[in-house]
Amino acid sequence: MTKKQVTSQTEAPIIDAKIPEGHLAEKWTNYKANQKLVNPANKRRLDIIVVGTGLAGASAAASLAELGFNVLNFCIQDSPRRAHSIAAQGGINAAKNYQNDGDSVYRLFYDTLKGGDYRAREANVYRLAEVSNSIIDQCVAQGVPFAREYGGLLDNRSFGGAQVSRTFYARGQTGQQLLLGAYSALSRQVGKGTVKLYTRHEMLDVVIIDGRARGIIARNLVTGKIERFSAHAVVVGSGGYGNAFFLSTNAMSCNGSAAIQMYKKGAFFANPAFAQIHPTCIPVHGEFQSKLTLMSESLRNDGRIWVPKKKEDAEAIRQGKLKPTDLKEEDRDYFLERRYPAFGNLVPRDVASRASKERCDAGYGVGNTGLAVYLDFEDSIKRLGEDVVRARYGNLFQMYEKIVDDNPYKTPMMIYPAIHYTMGGIWVDYELQTTVKGLFCIGEANFSDHGANRLGASALMQGLADGYFILPYTIQNYLADQIRVPRFSTELPEFDEAENQISEKIKRIMAVQGKRSVDSIHRELGLVMWDFVGMGRNKAGLEHALERIQKIRKEFWSNVFVPGKAEDMNNELEKALRVADFIEIGELMARDALLREESCGGHFREEYQTEEGEALRNDEKFAFASCWKFNGEGEEPTLFKEMLEYEFVKRQQRNYKA
């Protein structure tokens, strides 16, 4: 295997990405042909902790248990079915080419690499595309009710960043249906006794023994008790860190705490600045709002995005003097179709988001605040009929009407970009192992497959690829020489030390008894992140954000108020622990964004753009994954670089116009 090393100007540790030899299309086959295996009798002797029960966590836990390993599976919800994967609406990508419209594994690979603005690891992205077809077969076998055409074949949608239809879907409930499929597989293993499920448990630390991950410390969210769990390996699939922005499309319980704990125990945090802005969200409607609602990207198949051509019309709409239906066709600016004729409304998310922001900043936005654009289905209803539109998107339209109190069949939806997904995460090698031996990271929690921007319908693809088809192979390569290692006692001093550190952190938070609620501090952090580390970034703003975040950290540790007791169920304490970690994440994101003096994907530095306002990469200086190493509380982290060497694809300026 060749070595892809992380390098920096400091003395760099040698980090082997473990990318197999051979042609791009042969790497995964070569890996599987040469990996070490664990025989069935020995699998029963090995314990694996899996943190998370979303698509990545549930599929991994079910698959590892099916192989014969003993699995301990943790989730913070009261049921695995409530993991945030359930919120995914639009679909899951795969290169089946049922429409015979020119799709292939290579085209899915290339679209994904290009969509990520050439900042992902080439071999990982190809493997993701390669296993995508197996995911669909697996889910169909589980009974996932994908939409079907009249002849019985699975139907496909188009999604952003592609010119083919490769997105499999179940109305606007794809994540829910896929999660139910994974949950059924997981429940089967729970029933057999090969998976022990711990609901309402939150991982607060990972335990390292002799340089290897050997367990976790978790808090029972019902009793408040701190509990210890040991295993031969730890797998974390806890999702992303988008809630550092406070307002996002993520569920309120989504957090980056597990990632920060891994980072503080030696796992590198890669590309933290790469956060995705989704263009199709219901706009903010009040200062007391706690989260935002996503409207599926699938709506951009048949919906057309526009703003008024004339500023006076936009102003009249904002003042309530005009309705959008009053404007004639020639008075509407379908700006995505105008700027990107080849892809139109289905440009990638980062491109669509910036285009909407540009129109609103120029004074053409609609809604009370002027921070909204229209998503209009008038043409598609005339072309297809309301019944067809209702069949495709009915539950999404219903959700919009319940939230906004407006009928989208009669009046265009209003949408605006919002934080949705994080492409950055814990650094992993080709085997999905972090820089800590025995500590694996899967799904959105790792950095590996999306580069600087994720294409729509690829999150579900990555989560299930990691859990069903990649980790079950690669973790055996690690565990093959662990079969004689006895099970670890949770009374070892390493467990004592980890629990004591957590207990001291909780005591410190509870002892503050200040005057500010956790949410007020989190909201302040979120505003700083959105204003200065959001859709548009610049050097002065990022430097200001770093200063503000340091003040917010000081405010938190000196003036936060957490009621109740640490030993009981305490939702405010849960939030406080997570907000403390969001502050660390926010600082890391701003630091990483300041370092990267280029624009790529979701990272848009205003100083670095083309004459037409598109992202301007600097491949000569920044064709790397930024890997941050924790050096201790109050110390600046060290940057290392994994150089992204492309052997089979030539980097080009992204073009969605032709």
Side-chain angles (χ1 to χ4, degrees):
M1 292 187 179
T2 60
K3 290 188 176 181
K4 304 288 184 184
Q5 294 184 357
V6 172
T7 60
S8 85
Q9 294 178 352
T10 63
E11 185 178 350
I14 296 177
I15 297 183
D16 186 1
K18 299 179 183 175
I19 298 173
E21 302 281 2
H23 188 272
L24 187 64
E26 299 170 353
K27 289 182 183 294
W28 182 229
T29 300
N30 289 346
Y31 177 89
K32 291 187 290 184
N34 293 287
Q35 69 165 115
K36 298 175 184 177
L37 297 174
V38 180
N39 78 42
N42 286 333
K43 287 177 181 138
R44 293 192 294 270
R45 302 168 61 178
L46 296 170
D47 301 333
I48 303 173
I49 286 172
V50 178
V51 179
T53 58
L55 288 181
S59 60
S63 300
L64 293 170
E66 182 73 37
L67 286 171
F69 295 105
N70 301 305
V71 178
L72 291 74
N73 194 197
F74 297 80
C75 72
I76 62 175
Q77 298 88 1
D78 53 7
S79 166
R81 292 175 297 174
R82 293 177 67 87
H84 189 58
S85 298
I86 200 171
Q89 299 164 339
I92 177 171
N93 288 330
K96 286 287 193 181
N97 195 31
Y98 284 154
Q99 275 66 34
N100 198 28
D101 57 359
D103 202 7
S104 64
V105 168
Y106 184 86
R107 189 173 291 273
L108 174 54
F109 152 73
Y110 182 77
D111 286 347
T112 305
L113 204 66
K114 175 185 175 183
D117 220 349
Y118 303 96
R119 289 293 179 262
R121 189 188 290 149
E122 192 180 50
N124 285 61
V125 178
Y126 191 89
R127 177 177 63 183
L128 177 65
E130 188 178 354
V131 304
S132 66
N133 292 336
S134 297
I135 298 171
I136 304 304
D137 297 337
Q138 168 86 1
C139 295
V140 169
Q142 290 174 337
V144 173
F146 287 121
R148 293 181 180 269
E149 295 179 328
Y150 177 78
L153 286 176
L154 299 183
D155 197 10
N156 286 128
R157 288 172 167 163
S158 298
F159 255 63
Q163 292 177 304
V164 297
S165 295
R166 64 161 69 103
T167 303
F168 296 78
Y169 65 98
R171 293 189 74 192
Q173 307 168 348
T174 313
Q176 179 180 1
Q177 299 302 330
L178 291 172
L179 187 61
L180 288 173
Y183 175 68
S184 67
L186 177 62
S187 296
R188 178 172 179 268
Q189 299 303 320
V190 172
K192 290 176 63 178
T194 51
V195 172
K196 191 166 184 180
L197 184 63
Y198 295 87
T199 59
R200 298 292 287 145
H201 278 70
E202 182 169 12
M203 171 185 152
L204 297 183
D205 204 357
V206 58
V207 179
I208 309 296
I209 300 176
D210 295 330
R212 297 175 186 259
R214 296 301 193 186
I216 67 169
I217 306 294
R219 184 172 183 267
N220 185 320
L221 300 181
V222 176
T223 66
K225 183 181 178 183
I226 304 297
E227 300 177 6
R228 308 176 179 189
F229 303 91
S230 67
H232 292 88
V234 176
V235 179
V236 176
S238 56
Y241 49 91
N243 272 349
F245 288 78
F246 188 74
L247 284 179
S248 81
T249 65
N250 294 318
M252 295 296 289
S253 60
C254 293
N255 63 86
S257 289
I260 282 294
Q261 306 321 318
M262 289 189 284
Y263 165 68
K264 290 187 174 181
K265 284 299 180 73
F268 285 11
F269 206 122
N271 298 337
F274 289 169
Q276 180 167 84
I277 315 290
H278 197 295
T280 318
C281 299
I282 297 177
V284 176
H285 61 261
E287 60 181 275
F288 297 108
Q289 197 168 342
S290 60
K291 77 175 299 294
L292 298 173
T293 302
L294 173 70
M295 299 305 298
S296 170
E297 182 175 309
S298 64
L299 295 172
R300 291 198 275 148
N301 271 284
D302 292 308
R304 302 177 71 192
I305 295 174
W306 64 274
V307 292
K309 280 185 178 179
K310 303 173 185 176
K311 284 188 179 181
E312 52 266 34
D313 286 344
E315 181 62 30
I317 288 174
R318 290 196 292 268
Q319 293 176 357
K321 297 177 181 178
L322 268 182
K323 295 180 180 179
T325 50
D326 294 333
L327 265 64
K328 297 178 181 179
E329 185 75 8
E330 57 267 25
D331 294 325
R332 302 179 179 189
D333 177 16
Y334 296 94
F335 56 91
L336 291 179
E337 298 171 31
R338 169 174 56 81
R339 290 181 60 172
Y340 308 102
F343 284 74
N345 294 294
L346 287 172
V347 291
R349 291 173 176 178
D350 62 310
V351 177
S353 294
R354 283 194 293 273
S356 294
K357 180 179 185 294
E358 184 275 329
R359 287 290 80 193
C360 291
D361 289 349
Y364 296 91
V366 296
N368 294 334
T369 63
L371 296 177
V373 300
Y374 288 125
L375 178 61
D376 195 339
F377 282 81
E378 182 182 11
D379 281 358
S380 59
I381 289 173
K382 289 179 180 177
R383 175 171 50 89
L384 302 168
E386 185 175 318
D387 289 346
V388 173
V389 173
R390 192 179 295 274
R392 290 180 180 178
Y393 311 112
N395 61 315
L396 297 171
F397 278 48
Q398 182 185 40
M399 181 174 70
Y400 179 87
E401 186 169 6
K402 284 186 175 182
I403 294 171
V404 181
D405 194 25
D406 200 3
N407 183 353
Y409 294 100
K410 304 298 182 184
T411 306
M413 293 182 183
M414 286 193 294
I415 58 170
Y416 193 70
I419 288 289
H420 178 57
Y421 186 91
T422 49
M423 287 75 65
I426 296 299
W427 185 93
V428 292
D429 59 23
Y430 191 76
E431 295 183 329
L432 306 182
Q433 187 169 202
T434 72
T435 44
V436 176
K437 290 184 178 180
L439 181 60
F440 294 78
C441 191
I442 58 177
E444 188 181 355
N446 75 30
F447 91 111
S448 65
D449 292 351
H450 305 298
N453 173 64
R454 176 176 68 79
L455 292 185
S458 288
L460 306 186
M461 177 174 62
Q462 186 210 348
L464 292 180
D466 287 356
Y468 282 140
F469 296 107
I470 299 174
L471 183 74
Y473 282 99
T474 62
I475 200 170
Q476 291 191 69
N477 211 41
Y478 169 76
L479 290 171
D481 63 357
Q482 299 293 298
I483 56 177
R484 295 188 179 276
V485 176
R487 289 184 168 92
F488 292 85
S489 168
T490 56
E491 300 302 315
L492 290 170
E494 289 86 353
F495 281 90
D496 292 338
E497 181 182 359
E499 181 176 339
N500 289 338
Q501 288 177 350
I502 292 169
S503 297
E504 287 301 315
K505 182 178 181 180
I506 291 174
K507 287 178 183 177
R508 185 182 170 196
I509 289 175
M510 297 299 297
V512 175
Q513 295 296 295
K515 297 180 179 180
R516 292 192 59 180
S517 69
V518 176
D519 278 349
S520 73
I521 296 175
H522 192 183
R523 189 184 297 274
E524 182 182 352
L525 173 68
L527 286 172
V528 171
M529 295 298 294
W530 180 251
D531 289 343
F532 303 106
V533 199
M535 293 180 67
R537 304 163 175 179
N538 57 60
K539 185 175 187 287
L542 291 167
E543 290 173 343
H544 176 72
L546 285 168
E547 292 177 4
R548 288 281 302 278
I549 292 169
Q550 290 169 5
K551 291 178 181 177
I552 291 170
R553 179 190 288 109
K554 184 177 180 181
E555 176 73 0
F556 176 88
W557 288 106
S558 64
N559 201 23
V560 73
F561 174 68
V562 177
K565 297 180 180 179
E567 299 79 18
D568 298 334
M569 178 187 286
N570 192 330
N571 291 335
E572 286 301 303
L573 176 57
E574 294 171 33
K575 289 194 292 185
L577 288 166
R578 295 167 192 166
V579 169
D581 293 332
F582 281 137
I583 293 170
E584 303 301 321
I585 290 171
E587 182 175 39
L588 205 54
M589 291 181 72
R591 190 181 298 277
D592 191 50
L594 185 61
L595 157 87
R596 192 173 286 274
E597 296 178 339
E598 65 164 354
S599 292
C600 57
H603 168 67
F604 192 75
R605 284 285 295 269
E606 294 166 352
E607 307 97 318
Y608 308 101
Q609 54 183 298
T610 67
E611 292 181 359
E612 297 174 321
E614 306 295 341
L616 183 62
R617 293 196 324 270
N618 185 337
D619 293 334
E620 184 178 340
K621 293 185 177 180
F622 296 101
F624 60 77
S626 53
C627 307
W628 295 93
K629 176 181 178 292
F630 180 70
N631 289 323
E633 300 292 346
E635 300 293 328
E636 290 192 5
T638 303
L639 171 69
F640 299 107
K641 303 174 184 177
E642 180 194 351
M643 306 310 296
L644 298 173
E645 301 172 8
Y646 284 15
E647 299 178 64
F648 303 96
V649 170
K650 181 180 179 181
R651 289 188 179 92
Q652 302 176 24
Q653 180 68 30
R654 285 195 305 173
N655 179 13
Y656 293 100
K657 298 182 178 183

